[in-house]
Amino acid sequence: MRFNRTTALVMAGTMSLGLLAACSNDEDPKADDSGSPSASADPNAPVEITVAGLLPTADDAAKQQLADRITAFQEKYPNITVKSEDYEWKNSTFTTQLAGGTLPNVFEIPLTDGKTLIENGQLADIDQYVKALPYGSDFNPALLANGQGSDGKIYAVPAKSIYAVALHYNRKLFTDAGLDPNKPPTTWDEVRADAKAIHDKTGVAGYATMALDASGGWQLAAGANSRGGLIETSAGDGKYTATLTDPAVKAHLEWLKALRWEDNSLLARADLGWGEINAAFGGGELAMYTSGSDVYNALVEGNGVTADWGYGLTAIPTDNGGGALTGGTLAAVTKDSTDAQKDAAVKWIDWWYLSKLQDQTQAVADAKTRAEADPAQAVGTPVLPIFSEENYKESQGWIKDYINVPLDDMKGYTDVMFTQKLVPEASASVQDLYNALFPVVQAVITDKNADVDKLLDEANKTGQAAIDAAG
């Protein structure tokens, strides 16, 4: 769910990334009733679009990098004026923004929200424009499916931050506690032991978890998935069952409870969402937490983390057949956009999000701009491929001279990123399920005597009611 959280490969069962191959599509990209992508609008007529920009916390270097890319885009397309807006998807405000028509023409949503918004008729049909791109038929089909309607048309495209939930850690705190930062924990028992050692030796919380709003439920689900559990099941008949009482959900809550009340190693804050926990980690308030594997970019751009800060990344521990929860971001276009704005919007999506993955010149230009910013922005943060593993590795080779992230300190993740078991997010009412779960996480953090079984039973009833109401 991240995106601040967010979200995932909506597929039946689990998968290995190595099995995901790029798709092919023999359809004519101009087969839409309206003719060619530009048939309904003069391609040279002036048009203005607003686009989702950066997080409100982004630093000046990141803002300048975006400004430079907008300038270059407008030089290529002189008839298009682009205005960016600070943007952070939040479950608590998105619905109001969508209903009120205050979203930019190009906006970002979690992968899991694509299907629902499409079914509700709330996204623009951008099928003909996307298919006209040079790589319009090359998307990873498992990812693209999240932005396709039942009519097969494309309403949103996978754009960035396709990730697996991973464990982020402060290497310097590991060293201060007498632990080897090159041997991060690989089991939840080891995470607990290391968290206690760090707290006992340094006084800093060894572990923290998101607990605020849907992000708290998101990370509880990630913990359950890593332990072999699910928060929703389906018999394949289109009907879904909430399983918030899964033993793996309880096991992860009891684990958090032990860290908080037995070891005193869990950061005693129930107000941590995605942004808040990043800030706390960047400020040295905690040693370990789980989040999307791509979060290093946000830590650099908004939380003062640098290549020599001491950041470490490793795979989330798994047992009992569990895997890493996956997620990411779709780029979509507002329903009330004109044809000219849709055309311009897809050109921007290509320019800002995707062309750097397909075109060496664009890849190098983007990497060079980020690397030479002051302060430098992250280049080369590990993410899962929007197109294919081969394309990802090739594009990384294009920018190798500009990669500035501490890849040697991310090997615990990069060594398994293409082979680890991946778990898609729930398919039905996922945000409602997360919202039902986060109060349980907060209760465990704030109440030593929290009745986990009772709380999960109540949450499950709430989650099932949301699923049933959605049909």
Side-chain angles (χ1 to χ4, degrees):
M1 115 146 221
R2 178 194 97 109
F3 256 73
N4 316 342
R5 299 50 45 184
T6 60
T7 62
L9 314 177
V10 179
M11 297 171 58
T14 58
M15 61 203 164
S16 166
L17 193 63
L19 300 178
L20 298 179
C23 67
S24 62
N25 189 329
D26 296 326
E27 294 181 3
D28 183 348
K30 298 181 180 180
D32 187 87
D33 292 340
S34 60
S36 68
S38 59
S40 56
D42 179 356
N44 298 312
V47 59
E48 179 178 304
I49 57 172
T50 52
V51 301
L54 305 172
L55 294 171
T57 57
D59 61 21
D60 290 342
K63 293 176 182 177
Q64 186 59 52
Q65 192 251 352
L66 173 58
D68 290 344
R69 294 293 285 163
I70 289 175
T71 298
F73 175 82
Q74 293 180 152
E75 288 174 353
K76 181 175 182 179
Y77 302 105
N79 64 306
I80 302 175
T81 299
V82 175
K83 294 185 177 180
S84 67
E85 300 178 359
D86 287 349
Y87 187 85
E88 180 177 9
W89 184 93
K90 288 187 176 181
N91 183 53
S92 57
T93 58
F94 176 76
T95 301
T96 300
Q97 292 174 306
L98 182 64
T102 59
L103 290 170
N105 295 102
V106 178
F107 61 99
E108 301 172 358
I109 56 174
L111 273 171
T112 44
D113 284 17
K115 290 290 189 182
T116 299
L117 294 172
I118 293 168
E119 290 173 2
N120 292 342
Q122 294 173 298
L123 303 182
D125 174 359
I126 55 175
D127 187 77
Q128 60 175 319
Y129 307 104
V130 174
K131 288 180 177 177
L133 296 173
Y135 51 82
S137 61
D138 295 335
F139 286 96
N140 184 320
L143 296 180
L144 184 62
N146 294 280
Q148 290 178 300
S150 57
D151 57 3
K153 291 185 176 181
I154 299 169
Y155 294 82
V157 294
K160 67 174 186 178
S161 302
I162 308 302
Y163 62 85
V165 170
L167 183 68
H168 308 265
Y169 68 102
N170 184 320
R171 291 172 57 86
K172 291 183 178 179
L173 285 174
F174 266 65
T175 299
D176 291 345
L179 302 171
D180 185 349
N182 293 320
K183 295 181 179 179
T186 59
T187 69
W188 286 114
D189 285 344
E190 290 177 357
V191 172
R192 179 180 178 181
D194 288 354
K196 187 176 189 306
I198 289 168
H199 178 263
D200 290 350
K201 294 287 182 63
T202 71
V204 176
Y207 192 84
T209 187
M210 298 179 206
L212 183 66
D213 297 334
S215 57
W218 169 53
Q219 283 308 293
L220 175 56
N225 294 156
S226 76
R227 296 173 182 269
L230 296 171
I231 64 169
E232 181 182 272
T233 60
S234 173
D237 56 0
K239 296 181 180 179
Y240 296 88
T241 301
T243 55
L244 307 188
T245 54
D246 188 302
V249 179
K250 179 180 178 181
H252 202 67
L253 284 166
E254 294 289 1
W255 181 84
L256 290 170
K257 194 174 182 181
L259 267 66
R260 171 70 177 93
W261 300 105
E262 295 178 26
D263 301 346
N264 196 31
S265 62
L266 181 73
L267 187 62
R269 288 182 58 182
D271 62 343
L272 297 174
W274 184 83
E276 292 81 5
I277 203 167
N278 290 345
F281 181 71
E285 294 182 46
L286 60 117
M288 292 180 283
Y289 72 113
T290 57
S291 186
S293 54
D294 63 321
V295 82
Y296 183 76
N297 282 18
L299 293 171
V300 170
E301 293 174 9
N303 303 112
V305 172
T306 60
D308 59 357
W309 181 89
Y311 171 85
L313 175 68
T314 193
I316 190 171
T318 58
D319 55 35
N320 296 322
L325 177 64
T326 54
T329 300
L330 293 172
V333 179
T334 52
K335 183 70 181 294
D336 60 356
S337 296
T338 66
D339 287 343
Q341 287 177 320
K342 293 176 190 176
D343 186 25
V346 172
K347 285 184 171 70
W348 172 254
I349 291 171
D350 167 48
W351 181 268
W352 178 241
Y353 298 103
L354 300 174
S355 62
K356 60 188 175 184
L357 304 177
Q358 289 282 340
D359 181 90
Q360 184 172 357
T361 299
Q362 290 292 327
V364 172
D366 180 76
K368 184 175 186 293
T369 300
R370 293 182 65 85
E372 294 179 355
D374 185 19
Q377 301 303 291
V379 178
T381 299
V383 293
L384 302 182
I386 288 175
F387 297 101
S388 68
E389 178 179 344
E390 292 73 22
N391 167 257
Y392 174 81
K393 291 180 176 178
E394 180 181 35
S395 63
Q396 289 294 95
W398 294 335
I399 62 172
K400 65 181 186 305
D401 292 340
Y402 298 99
I403 291 177
N404 56 13
V405 303
L407 288 177
D408 287 344
D409 299 334
M410 299 177 172
K411 288 180 64 62
Y413 176 74
T414 57
D415 283 352
V416 302
M417 64 182 286
F418 292 114
T419 58
Q420 67 179 337
K421 183 177 181 179
L422 303 179
V423 182
E425 282 189 288
S427 297
S429 303
V430 62
Q431 302 298 336
D432 294 304
L433 297 182
Y434 291 156
N435 279 320
L437 282 173
F438 85 80
V440 187
V441 180
Q442 291 184 328
V444 164
I445 294 173
T446 59
D447 182 3
K448 183 177 182 178
N449 298 310
D451 188 332
V452 171
D453 287 322
K454 180 179 179 181
L455 290 169
L456 285 179
D457 184 62
E458 293 172 351
N460 198 65
K461 291 176 182 177
T462 299
Q464 188 61 53
I467 292 172
D468 294 341

